[in-house]
Amino acid sequence: MHIDAALEAILLQYWGYTSFRPNQKEVITSICEKKDTLLLLATGGGKSICYQVPGIYLGGLTLVISPLVALMHDQVHQLTHRGIAAAYIDASLTFRETQIIYDNVASGHIKFLYISPERLQ
């Protein structure tokens, strides 16, 4: 399957959209071709899809570092609602909860891991 068709199939399957917003497809294709890519969009401009679609297309784990805890929680909720394995690690979790998530990451059960910058230590 051609990359454009594969990306559009992912967009339709998980988000129910038949086409990308302006500039999204170019950015997503660049990421999927493993090129260094910088994207600046306003709030609500569709940035999340620009890393989520390539994350699904490329396979493996996608690590998202965000200082916005509420956004991490919302993104994980939205992804899991779509049947995509996602988790977050922030200061609200217990040591045991964090260990369970790390175990799930190590075993390949998590596709997207959102982590706050302070947890990188």
Side-chain angles (χ1 to χ4, degrees):
M1 180 181 292
H2 187 268
I3 187 171
D4 288 345
L7 297 176
E8 289 172 2
I10 290 168
L11 184 69
L12 181 62
Q13 178 182 349
Y14 292 102
W15 285 271
Y17 301 140
T18 57
S19 63
F20 291 100
R21 290 182 185 178
N23 301 315
Q24 283 181 326
K25 190 172 195 178
E26 293 80 8
V27 168
I28 291 168
T29 301
S30 178
I31 293 168
C32 290
E33 293 173 348
K34 300 183 180 181
K35 296 178 182 176
D36 292 338
T37 306
L38 175 65
L39 170 66
L40 298 173
L41 286 175
T43 299
K47 294 180 290 293
S48 298
I49 281 180
C50 290
Y51 65 81
Q52 292 169 343
V53 169
I56 294 167
Y57 177 79
L58 294 170
L61 175 70
T62 299
L63 178 65
V64 182
I65 302 165
S66 174
L68 305 172
V69 174
L71 178 64
M72 291 191 318
H73 292 199
D74 180 63
Q75 292 290 311
V76 167
H77 173 77
Q78 293 298 323
L79 287 168
T80 56
H81 178 73
R82 290 179 166 83
I84 302 167
Y88 62 84
I89 295 175
D90 65 17
S92 72
L93 299 178
T94 66
F95 177 80
R96 180 69 185 131
E97 290 169 326
T98 301
Q99 289 305 314
I100 291 169
I101 291 170
Y102 284 139
D103 289 345
N104 284 325
V105 167
S107 64
H109 292 114
I110 300 293
K111 181 75 193 122
F112 290 88
L113 178 62
Y114 289 75
I115 189 165
S116 58
E118 67 272 7
R119 296 303 297 223
L120 286 174
Q121 299 174 4

